[in-house]
């Protein structure tokens, strides 16, 4: 009898642990992309309006993680920098590096840190930017900002899909050279946001 109850308990634990995480996204409104009917909630964060669902519109040089279409529902597509510039519908645009800085400052990052590169831990702003679900190893945030950052991983220049559940990488429209552009990253074990010059061929979130 004890072994039977123990078996039921273990089965319950396994089922509970493997249950699908709810990725509920709520904003101030919903934009419907006239190109394909995709629905994108948006929210006012600071004094800027942001879509709070990753773009899932197909362009050249864009991919679902591991080429799995089901991935797109929650995490969107991954775009090369050139494709990211074309991903947004009319009336919207890929944010600039400056607009990202304004977002970060609105969540508590100091101005000096916002202008620096590498990990910027001032204000621990990844915590209010990260969704409350979807991150591995307890790396979720509070999503107080409603930005709803999800760890969609990225596609490397070697055409490998890596780090889904661990990392969120975002393009900005601000280029630094013919081959690189500014981007942002958040990782599950960090409360800061990474600012770096990335190879334009990598596949990041929009």
């Amino acid at each position: 009898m004890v072994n039977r109850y123990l078996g039921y308990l273990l089965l319950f634990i396994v089922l509970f642990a493997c249950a699908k995480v709810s990725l509920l996204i709520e904003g101030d409104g919903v934009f419907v992309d006239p190109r394909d009917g995709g629905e994108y909630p948006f929210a006012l964060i600071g004094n800027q309006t942001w879509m709070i669902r990753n773009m899932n519109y197909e362009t050249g040089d864009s991919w679902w993680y591991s080429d799995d279409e089901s991935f797109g529902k929650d995490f969107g597509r991954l775009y090369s920098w050139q494709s990211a510039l074309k991903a947004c519908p009319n009336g919207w645009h890929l944010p600039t590096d400056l607009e990202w800085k304004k977002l970060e400052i609105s969540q508590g990052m100091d101005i000096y840190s916002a202008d620096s590169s590498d990990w910027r831990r001032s204000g621990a702003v990844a915590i209010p930017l990260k969704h409350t679900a979807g991150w591995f190893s307890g790396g979720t945030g509070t999503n107080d900002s409603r930005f709803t950052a999800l760890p969609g991983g990225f596609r490397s220049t070697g055409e490998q899909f890596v780090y889904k559940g661990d990392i969120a990488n975002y393009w900005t429209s601000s280029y630094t050279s013919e081959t690189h552009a500014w981007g942002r990253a958040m990782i599950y074990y960090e409360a800061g946001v990474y600012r770096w010059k990335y190879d334009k061929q990598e596949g990041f979130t929009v």
Side-chain angles (χ1 to χ4, degrees):
M1 184 68 68
V2 172
N3 287 341
R4 180 183 299 173
Y5 287 137
L6 180 59
Y8 289 152
L9 177 60
L10 290 173
L11 178 61
F12 174 78
I13 291 172
V14 169
L15 290 174
F16 181 80
C18 295
K20 180 173 173 57
V21 177
S22 173
L23 296 178
L24 180 66
I25 300 176
E26 296 182 348
D28 298 321
V30 177
F31 175 82
V32 179
D33 191 338
R35 300 171 298 181
D36 63 0
E39 296 185 358
Y40 297 93
F42 59 85
L44 181 67
I45 307 175
N47 62 359
Q48 302 178 116
T49 299
W50 293 79
M51 283 187 182
I52 53 176
R53 172 170 284 140
N54 295 341
M55 287 299 304
N56 194 31
Y57 179 71
E58 184 175 359
T59 67
D61 288 334
S62 70
W63 312 267
W64 290 302
Y65 191 95
S66 295
D67 298 316
D68 182 355
E69 183 176 356
S70 65
F71 171 82
K73 179 180 177 182
D74 290 325
F75 295 95
R77 296 182 73 89
L78 302 171
Y79 298 85
S80 71
W81 184 77
Q82 291 289 351
S83 288
L85 294 174
K86 307 170 194 172
C88 298
N90 287 339
W92 298 84
H93 65 269
L94 187 66
T96 65
D97 184 55
L98 178 60
E99 286 168 332
W100 259 96
K101 290 177 185 179
K102 289 179 179 179
L103 170 67
E104 293 157 343
I105 291 169
S106 78
Q107 300 307 304
M109 185 179 288
D110 64 61
I111 295 174
Y112 172 80
S113 296
D115 285 334
S116 65
S117 300
D118 212 308
W119 285 108
R120 294 146 328 130
R121 298 179 174 88
S122 166
V125 302
I127 301 303
L129 293 176
K130 289 180 182 178
H131 198 352
T132 57
W135 293 81
F136 289 159
S137 304
T140 54
T142 63
N143 203 29
D144 288 340
S145 69
R146 300 186 297 166
F147 183 78
T148 318
L150 288 168
F154 65 93
R155 184 179 186 267
S156 71
T157 54
E159 302 182 359
Q160 300 297 310
F161 295 97
V162 291
Y163 299 123
K164 177 181 176 288
D166 288 330
I167 293 176
N169 280 96
Y170 296 91
W171 281 123
T172 82
S173 61
S174 303
Y175 66 90
T176 63
S177 70
E178 290 299 313
T179 58
H180 289 74
W182 285 113
R184 295 297 191 278
M186 293 175 235
I187 194 167
Y188 72 94
Y189 59 77
E190 269 284 354
V193 178
Y194 193 71
R195 177 175 178 256
W196 200 249
K197 303 170 185 178
Y198 291 99
D199 190 307
K200 292 177 180 179
Q201 300 306 310
E202 293 187 280
F204 287 177
T205 294
V206 172

